[in-house]
Amino acid sequence: MKKTMPYFVLFIIFSLSSTLMTAVSAQAVFGPARLQLTTQNWPPYQGYIDGKMQGLALDQVKCALNNMGQPYQITMTAWSDAQLRVQSGLQHGFFIATQTTERDEYATLSTAIAQQRLRWYFGRGVKPNINELTKVNLNFSAKFGSSKWFWLKRNGFNVVKQPRDAKILLKLLKQREIDVVLEDEKVFHRELETAALPFDFFQSKLKDSKPMGVYFSNHFLKKYSGFLAAFNSAILKCEG
């Protein structure tokens, strides 16, 4: 007599197969076995605090990826190198960044993680005014390799120095080796606080306010077509 497989055994096999297919399908849609992200040391958004990598933006990114169940690895490097790694395909994304035409050529920006308030900071004795005359007669600077630094160069400002972080920018501005600095409000305020200086030590003027998010490689998003929508949805759940 021909033996038949018991119904409950068939049911278990079918259930396991369905679960495995669902897991494989979800993995193919949403993300890789390990997402590779890169960033810069830019407190208070991300940096090493008490020997641990943390910050306002970093905590949001971790929250979203944990909500997605997406394994990840985050490395910290120079900002110009972080962007180059994504552009060359070595890593999947970089953060935290504002949208620029150059970055849009090889990557796509996520929904906003934070809002950047970009301010002009003027050296002591410098009038808080920006016009066609001052842009060529005063010495301007921003963090080297940042969109701010390149924006100043493209728009005809007299850009000097190649400061690697806000701490050096503050030092150069205080010593009047630079007349005007363009920097994120939160970042510069943190450096003022670290230097035991009041927030109004330098006169400042708001330039603009822009959203910042994670830039994901277009090549990566083409391979994992559902990832960006899932990440954006997860970020919204992490707000507040």
Side-chain angles (χ1 to χ4, degrees), residues 170-178 202:
L170 173 58
K171 179 181 178 181
L172 292 172
L173 187 63
K174 188 177 180 183
Q175 295 175 347
R176 282 298 302 276
E177 293 183 52
I178 294 173
F202 302 106

Side-chain angles (χ1 to χ4, degrees), residues 34-52:
R34 186 171 298 277
L35 182 70
Q36 301 288 340
L37 295 180
T38 182
T39 187
Q40 63 172 324
N41 183 30
W42 200 42
Y45 294 108
Q46 61 268 337
Y48 283 102
I49 303 172
D50 298 327
K52 183 180 178 182

